[in-house]
Amino acid sequence: EDQVTQSPEALRLQEGESSSLNCSYTVSGLRGLFWYRQDPGKGPEFLFTLYSAGEEKEKERLKATLTKKESFLHITAPKPEDSATYLCAVQANNYGQNFVFGPGTRLSVLP
Amino acid sequence: GAVVSQHPSRVICKSGTSVKIECRSLDFQATTMFWYRQFPKQSLMLMATSNEGSKATYEQGVEKDKFLINHASLTLSTLTVTSAHPEDSSFYICSAIPGLTRSVEQFFGPGTRLTVL
């Protein structure tokens, strides 16, 4: 059965304390893995798309990497405004254009 | 680019009434739009896939007669919650895939908070 899990469920960091969020997946035929940021009461905001193992994408303090079984979202020197829920989603060959979302990681960055 | 809007952002209605939520792609055409439901502190649950000019495809367990979806144009999809009940209260989010590019990313609207009294 296709699954997407994320860990940790919640993470509290001090401002400037770097860390990584994990997204593990088991799907048949990965077409793409996506990272989104969601603020409370708002829709998800697109961050990255990764297509193949070894691929990396960066944007400001965020860097996403992909292996054959998981993806990491590295946050370098986070700021309080990075506090949000980070969602990963996968698109697989047998789902067409549908996404399977993970449960998310709630990140809190304290000043 | 790739902006998706939803209207209304919040709606409160009485039990038994119907509510329509609009999802628009503002700067691109979308042959496919999706409707999700999200409960507090939970992830997104796909309700249905909406394709322009054809019937929507509903996920297992989603009542198609209760959640009516119309994708009448390449920039507009609507979700109508018919005979709403308090258990339908939730955060409804739409997304769209740009149809004229090779993009596979979904771009999300800001969501609609539905409260049924």
Side-chain angles (χ1 to χ4, degrees):
Chain A
E1 182 182 336
D2 294 343
Q3 271 195 327
V4 180
T5 60
Q6 291 186 247
S7 63
E9 182 177 328
L11 180 63
R12 298 181 74 175
L13 299 173
Q14 289 295 131
E15 185 171 2
E17 180 187 359
S18 301
S19 189
S20 296
L21 313 182
N22 175 268
C23 172
S24 296
Y25 62 92
T26 53
V27 295
S28 302
L30 179 72
R31 296 176 63 192
L33 185 142
F34 307 83
W35 282 98
Y36 289 85
R37 169 196 170 124
Q38 186 176 26
D39 292 303
K42 296 187 178 181
E45 174 189 345
F46 172 73
L47 294 174
F48 302 110
T49 306
L50 301 166
Y51 293 104
S52 57
E55 191 173 0
E56 298 182 352
K57 294 272 181 75
E58 282 190 70
K59 179 181 178 180
E60 296 180 353
R61 295 179 292 282
L62 300 176
K63 178 180 177 180
T65 61
L66 181 65
T67 72
K68 289 185 178 180
K69 294 183 178 181
E70 57 192 350
S71 175
F72 291 94
L73 184 65
H74 307 279
I75 303 177
T76 302
K79 298 181 178 181
E81 53 261 42
D82 295 322
S83 298
T85 295
Y86 290 85
L87 299 167
C88 91
V90 299
Q91 191 180 55
N93 286 334
N94 57 338
Y95 284 145
Q97 292 178 306
N98 293 5
F99 282 14
V100 176
F101 275 90
T105 294
R106 293 193 306 278
L107 174 66
S108 299
V109 182
L110 307 176
Chain B
V3 178
V4 178
S5 70
Q6 277 184 247
H7 178 79
S9 57
R10 289 178 176 271
V11 57
I12 300 173
C13 69
K14 293 183 179 180
S15 186
T17 61
S18 294
V19 174
K20 180 185 282 188
I21 302 170
E22 291 186 350
C23 176
R24 292 182 185 273
S25 55
L26 298 185
D27 52 1
F28 64 95
Q29 293 181 325
T31 54
T32 303
M33 290 183 171
F34 301 88
W35 286 96
Y36 293 84
R37 186 172 181 176
Q38 187 175 34
F39 292 104
K41 294 191 177 182
Q42 293 189 25
S43 193
L44 281 72
M45 290 177 47
L46 179 65
M47 299 175 64
T49 303
S50 168
N51 293 294
E52 187 267 338
S54 63
K55 291 183 178 180
T57 302
Y58 291 82
E59 294 300 297
Q60 192 172 9
V62 178
E63 299 177 59
K64 61 181 180 181
D65 294 331
K66 181 166 187 63
F67 298 101
L68 301 179
I69 291 172
N70 187 324
H71 194 153
S73 77
L74 288 172
T75 60
L76 173 64
S77 176
T78 60
L79 168 67
T80 301
V81 183
T82 63
S83 187
H85 288 95
E87 57 266 30
D88 298 324
S89 298
S90 190
F91 192 52
Y92 292 88
I93 311 175
C94 72
S95 72
I97 296 178
L100 300 182
T101 71
R102 298 183 64 184
S103 170
V104 296
E105 294 89 355
Q106 292 185 25
F107 295 93
F108 287 84
T112 296
R113 174 76 57 192
L114 171 63
T115 303
V116 184
L117 303 177

